[in-house]
Amino acid sequence: MRTRAEERRAVRVPVPVPVPEALAVPEALPVPDGRRVDLWLVRCPGPGAPPEPHVRAGARVRATSDVRIEPDVRVEPDARATPDPLAAPGVLDVLDAAERERAASLRRPADRALYVASHLALRTLLGAYLRVPAREVALVREPCPGCGGPHGRPAVPGTPPPLHFSLSHSHGLALIGVAAVPVGVDVQRVPGPGTVDACAPSLHPAERAELDRLPPGARPGAFAQLWARKEAYLKGIGTGLSRPASADYLGADTRSRPHGWTVTDLPRAGGHTAAVAVLGTVPPVPSVRRLPVRLSPPLTS
């Protein structure tokens, strides 16, 4: 018979996984106008990883961009246990049937938590911009630029729509962009050298040449930033990756990038790179804010 101390040592301690229970979003937000682009970061770390800010005060930004880092929007941690992200209070009322089905299909709790957190944040933010409850935010699909089918980028109804938005998430971090004109955002975790070697052949020839000129240790970070620019642009024009990655140059030479769009690198930290693409040739003024979710351990991985 085991002692109480032995029983306590034998108990398996679940690994905390973030669960979205509350988002610190104002009830009303002004719709961006002119050059302004609102960018919202949601960090939802994987099992055992402490939450860290993606953008730090004083982060360096490319001279061609003007990124303003806003103060944190803070939510205090919550120690109550939640068995699953979809069981968090109010989530089922906000996400639509397709989002709930997609979330339920994700097997890893951390992936499910990030998906739910990012889509809950998106709908909560759009509700604040549109002055409607998050659960009443209607989303439609624009016509596909390639075939005209109803499977283009997601949008809010209206002709023209009252705002444009874009969502990206990768390995514990989500990025949401809101603007008055078409916008695309993307966030990428810096990959390993093997991933870079496997994906490089799909790039534009000039992009491949740029990577080849770099020392091996610098290629993963450069590739991640390049790919973030590329996906941000492809989301902005509405094609996504249905358009070949080799069709457009999004390398370091800003003069050779697609005409009519401005693509800006965002501050890099925490093993992620990110970029925003905005319709127009006037450099945008992105405003970056962090939007934490409550952490509700324990949830087993």
Side-chain angles (χ1 to χ4, degrees):
M1 185 173 180
R2 293 185 300 186
T3 65
R4 288 188 177 182
E6 290 172 334
E7 289 176 346
R8 284 196 297 270
R9 287 195 295 269
V11 173
R12 181 174 180 269
V13 180
V15 178
V17 174
V19 174
E21 289 193 15
L23 297 168
V25 177
E27 292 185 1
L29 290 168
V31 175
D33 55 10
R35 298 165 53 210
R36 195 175 113 232
V37 180
D38 286 355
L39 297 172
W40 299 84
L41 288 157
V42 179
R43 179 171 286 281
C44 208
E52 301 175 4
H54 174 64
V55 178
R56 298 187 301 271
R60 296 181 64 84
V61 184
R62 287 178 175 269
T64 55
S65 65
D66 181 11
V67 180
R68 210 166 54 245
I69 310 300
E70 300 289 350
D72 285 1
V73 182
R74 298 187 181 277
V75 178
E76 293 300 320
D78 191 327
R80 293 172 300 169
T82 304
D84 188 272
L86 291 178
V91 169
L92 293 179
D93 294 335
V94 177
L95 303 184
D96 64 22
E99 289 169 320
R100 294 195 296 270
E101 181 178 358
R102 171 60 178 157
S105 71
L106 299 173
R107 299 184 62 184
R108 294 183 64 248
D111 293 340
R112 200 157 56 244
L114 176 60
Y115 180 89
V116 172
S118 60
H119 284 255
L120 179 62
L122 173 65
R123 288 182 171 273
T124 304
L125 287 167
L126 291 179
Y129 284 111
L130 299 173
R131 310 294 202 275
V132 299
R135 65 176 59 88
E136 295 180 14
V137 172
L139 298 179
V140 298
R141 287 279 183 175
E142 294 182 346
C144 171
C147 68
H151 50 261
R153 65 183 168 198
V156 294
T159 308
L163 56 78
H164 297 263
F165 69 88
S166 181
L167 167 65
S168 176
H169 48 77
S170 173
H171 296 88
L173 185 70
L175 176 63
I176 298 168
V178 179
V181 297
V183 60
V185 300
D186 193 66
V187 60
Q188 294 288 329
R189 186 173 69 170
V190 176
T195 300
V196 176
D197 293 340
C199 296
S202 67
L203 298 175
H204 188 281
E207 295 170 343
R208 294 200 303 270
E210 288 181 7
L211 288 179
D212 289 342
R213 289 193 293 268
L214 295 175
R219 288 174 189 164
F223 172 83
Q225 189 63 70
L226 166 62
W227 197 262
R229 293 187 207 118
K230 190 175 291 288
E231 283 214 44
Y233 169 69
L234 294 177
K235 290 176 183 178
I237 64 176
T239 64
L241 289 174
S242 65
R243 182 177 173 86
S246 60
D248 307 286
Y249 171 84
L250 274 300
D253 184 1
T254 58
R255 298 167 299 178
S256 300
R257 293 178 186 173
H259 179 70
W261 285 78
T262 303
V263 183
T264 302
D265 294 344
L266 299 178
R268 174 180 162 187
H272 287 80
T273 62
V276 55
V278 182
L279 179 64
T281 56
V282 178
V285 181
S287 173
V288 184
R289 304 182 193 180
R290 288 182 291 270
L291 188 65
V293 296
R294 283 180 177 170
L295 303 183
S296 299
L299 180 65
T300 57
S301 59

